[in-house]
Amino acid sequence: MNTYKAKIDVKINHLEVDKTAFEIVKNQLTHKQDSVLILPTGGTQIGWYKLIVEAYKNREVDFEKATIFNLDEYYPLNKNNPSSYYSYMRRNLIDHVNIKPENWHIPNCEAETSEEAVSEYQNLLNQQKQIDLAVLGIGPAATCHIGFNEQGSDENSKTRYVILDEQTSFANSVYFENEKDMPKGAITMGISDILKAGKIILLAKGREKAWGVQRSVLGPINNEAPASHLRFHPEVTFILDQEAASLL
Ligand code: F6R
């Protein structure tokens, strides 16, 4: 596989990161109404979701023909738990725009077995002829995860059940009212699924992401830094605030 230099776009602050991501998604939907998007959850993304909901209310963007695939979901979990990614997506996007229910996909955290959830999701992904844009965040501390592809994930990885890295569990436990309710695992799209997108943007904010960004952009491409595998893709842009870019 060829490797490429990731494009780096450093913004003056986190609000400019939000604006840039918002513009990219809005332009994508304007130029191709039936775009297929891969979307993430997480604290980093909330700002641009707000902007796109506002734009929808002002009739500047339309989700009528769009399709959304979420990157990942905890497993097992009640989907109506406020900390599920299903709830996050409804709260921050889905309930506020005109996406058709049948066009929004997220791994089923209530499936009887993880195998069932995985094969159902992989089949749906495999049916997509084209994925236009993937929006990503990067995991906390040294994980360098994308989706929940933790350290050890390779570029050929597919949708699967994974055990969360300790650093991920620690960082994400703040989102659970009762820490003990946080699942130990998740279903994630694989890196090979993400690399199928025509265009990829990764957003990172804050000093705590600086090491992971540097490792993924400038370090060796290997499974120790799953986000480094993005450099197998010719159209990847890391959109960073100054803190996240501070080690580049
Ligand atoms: C979540 C996801 C994760 C997050 C990452 C960063 O759907 O794909 O890879 O993007 O854990 O999360 P935040 O933005 O909360 O720092």
Side-chain angles (χ1 to χ4, degrees):
M1 250 202 276
N2 292 334
T3 60
Y4 303 88
K5 226 173 159 180
K7 296 183 189 79
I8 306 294
D9 186 4
V10 183
K11 299 295 172 192
I12 194 95
N13 59 35
H14 67 96
L15 297 174
E16 292 299 314
V17 173
D18 296 341
K19 258 196 231 163
T20 307
F22 156 66
E23 291 289 347
I24 290 170
V25 177
K26 181 172 151 234
N27 288 341
Q28 177 63 48
L29 289 169
T30 305
H31 291 123
K32 185 169 181 267
Q33 291 196 348
D34 60 349
S35 287
V36 179
L37 310 174
I38 292 179
L39 294 182
T41 63
T44 311
Q45 316 295 334
I46 287 182
W48 77 261
Y49 279 136
K50 272 201 183 114
L51 295 175
I52 210 136
V53 167
E54 238 170 74
Y56 171 73
K57 285 184 184 145
N58 296 331
R59 299 175 178 221
E60 291 164 21
V61 70
D62 188 2
F63 283 85
E64 166 87 28
K65 296 190 177 133
T67 298
I68 293 175
F69 280 91
N70 268 92
L71 275 166
D72 46 12
E73 173 63 289
Y74 294 109
Y75 184 88
L77 190 64
N78 181 324
K79 71 178 181 183
N80 291 317
N81 183 310
S83 306
S84 72
Y85 286 170
Y86 171 86
S87 297
Y88 171 108
M89 286 304 291
R90 287 196 56 179
R91 206 161 48 237
N92 290 297
L93 183 70
I94 303 296
D95 286 358
H96 310 289
V97 299
N98 61 338
I99 179 112
K100 290 198 177 122
E102 64 270 28
N103 288 349
W104 172 42
H105 308 289
I106 186 161
N108 180 6
C109 53
E110 295 184 343
E112 246 172 63
T113 63
S114 59
E115 289 83 0
E116 190 184 308
V118 165
S119 77
E120 187 189 310
Y121 209 59
Q122 187 72 66
N123 285 342
L124 274 174
L125 277 168
N126 291 347
Q127 280 165 31
Q128 289 306 310
K129 285 194 194 77
Q130 192 184 343
I131 294 177
D132 297 288
L133 172 69
V135 182
L136 310 175
I138 186 166
T143 63
C144 299
H145 75 213
I146 45 174
F148 275 137
N149 292 284
E150 302 282 20
Q151 286 178 333
S153 304
D154 69 42
E155 71 273 26
N156 299 312
S157 55
K158 299 233 179 272
T159 301
R160 65 206 186 285
Y161 172 78
V162 291
I163 298 286
L164 299 174
D165 185 284
E166 259 177 42
Q167 300 169 85
T168 302
S169 295
F170 178 74
N172 289 13
S173 62
V174 296
Y175 295 114
F176 283 80
E177 206 174 299
N178 189 344
E179 240 178 79
K180 285 194 222 104
D181 291 344
M182 186 175 169
K184 302 241 175 309
I187 311 285
T188 186
M189 207 176 264
I191 296 180
S192 71
D193 301 308
I194 295 171
L195 291 176
K196 282 187 191 136
K199 212 162 54 181
I200 301 177
I201 58 172
L202 182 149
L203 319 183
K205 300 172 178 173
R207 202 162 290 274
E208 65 277 14
K209 296 290 173 77
W211 187 90
V213 166
Q214 185 217 38
R215 170 66 184 81
S216 304
V217 170
L218 300 176
I221 299 178
N222 61 30
N223 301 354
E224 278 168 37
S228 69
H229 293 306
L230 293 173
R231 284 150 58 203
F232 286 122
H233 194 289
E235 270 303 320
V236 175
T237 307
F238 281 65
I239 304 169
L240 311 168
D241 66 8
Q242 288 188 332
E243 286 79 22
S246 59
L247 297 177
L248 293 179

